[in-house]
Structure formats: structure tokens, C-alpha cells
Amino acid sequence: NNDYLSIADSADFTFGTGDYTMEAWIYPTSTGSYPVIIAQYENTAGTASWFFSLGNNNTTLEYYAYGPDVNLSPLRGGTAPLNTWTHVAVTRSGSTVRLFVSGSQVDSGTWSNTHRDSSLPVTIGASSDGGFDFTGKISNVRVIKGTALYTSRFTPPTAPLTNVSNTSLLCCQSPTSVESSAVGPITS
């Protein structure tokens, strides 16, 4: 609680209208107000690009994508039970954005608009302004720009995630170093 990782903005997180994947294993230990898994977001109008979290005071997964003109209608679904490891993912393939929990698609939406090109840092465990704390553990975070790794039901990986083609960020794989990453510079 009250700890989060911050990754400097880069072109690796500017998704435009392209395909992408965001995924992680999460272990929430209490509920909160939109606890962030991974985001490029702060609570200031016109700055956010995307926000992947649990919902308000519950364990339902939510994903928001922001554009300069049109935002994605929020995706919501599935649950990440307290005190349990759960694999979560969001992908965009063409104009279809999908939300997955434990390998099952729980929601989808159509959005052909571009993501806002935000200069905010990408954060894991809170928003870039330190709000929306995630209480629990987050492991094996991977962001892939240019590839929608999952487009239908899949079996969640049981081994540590690896650096596949187009990986922009791969981190949170070491139990002893929060800044240890296979791909992407991280500061805590």
C-alpha cells in the first residue's frame, strides 16, 4: 500500500490506433477506489491515455481508454477475488478492445479512435499523481505495443512472462527488487 512504480513516458506507450496487450498477475488484499494495476493516468482533464484497474470498492476489473476527441466506453467484467492470484489482460486488435480475467473474455468494445498521446509516466500500483492505490501484490506486468496477444479464450501462463516480439515493458518479476525489469527502465 502507498508504493508504486513509475516508468518515464516514451514512444513505447503511445498506442495511437494500433494493437496492444497489457497483462499482469494481481493479488488484491483489500478493496479501494479504482485501485490501479497499470495506467498512464492522473486525475486531470485532458492528460490521461489509459487506466487499467479494479472498480470502485469492489473486485470487478475495469479498463478505460482516452482519446483526444472520443473515449472508449469503459470495459467492465469478471472478478479478481481478494487474497487470490488472478491473471488479467486487456488487448486491442484493430478496433476491438477486449478485457480478460483468467483467460476468459469478460467484456469487449469497439473503438477505432486514437489513444491520447500523454506525457504522463506509466505507473503500476497507483496513478501518476499517487492516487488510486492498489493494496496487494502485482506480478509479471507486460505491455506489448503492436500485437494483440489474446483475441479469444486462452490458458493463462503459469511460468514467468517472457520478452516476446514488440514487448515495451516487462517487469515485477523479482521478489527482492521492485526495479528489476527484463524490458523498460523503472524507478520506484
Side-chain angles (χ1 to χ4, degrees):
N1 196 19
N2 298 317
D3 292 328
Y4 66 97
L5 299 179
S6 179
I7 301 102
D9 178 46
S10 79
D12 288 338
F13 305 117
T14 304
F15 298 130
T17 58
D19 295 353
Y20 57 83
T21 302
M22 295 178 216
E23 66 182 312
W25 282 90
I26 62 172
Y27 188 96
T29 57
S30 72
T31 58
S33 180
Y34 299 98
V36 167
I37 299 165
I38 183 170
Q40 190 172 32
Y41 176 90
E42 70 178 22
N43 200 15
T44 304
T47 61
S49 184
W50 39 273
F51 186 83
F52 190 21
S53 73
L54 296 176
N56 188 25
N57 295 316
N58 60 48
T59 56
T60 301
L61 206 64
E62 297 193 0
Y63 179 70
Y64 301 80
Y66 304 94
D69 301 313
V70 178
N71 298 334
L72 170 71
S73 294
L75 301 183
R76 294 181 176 98
T79 59
L82 296 179
N83 304 308
T84 302
W85 283 105
T86 303
H87 183 267
V88 297
V90 63
T91 66
R92 180 176 180 170
S93 176
S95 62
T96 303
V97 185
R98 295 175 177 89
L99 185 62
F100 296 91
V101 176
S102 298
S104 294
Q105 182 176 310
V106 295
D107 200 4
S108 66
T110 300
W111 192 56
S112 58
N113 299 80
T114 188
H115 274 268
R116 179 176 289 123
D117 182 6
S118 178
S119 62
L120 295 171
V122 171
T123 52
I124 300 168
S127 60
S128 65
D129 53 2
F132 304 106
D133 286 344
F134 183 97
T135 303
K137 300 174 185 175
I138 301 174
S139 179
N140 279 273
V141 175
R142 180 167 60 185
V143 176
I144 303 168
K145 179 182 175 183
T147 304
L149 199 56
Y150 312 116
T151 57
S152 61
R153 184 176 178 82
F154 64 95
T155 301
T158 56
L161 299 178
T162 59
N163 182 1
V164 298
S165 181
N166 295 326
T167 298
S168 297
L169 176 67
L170 177 61
C171 66
C172 304
Q173 295 184 300
S174 170
T176 58
S177 173
V178 297
E179 295 177 359
S180 176
S181 69
V183 178
I186 296 176
T187 58
S188 59

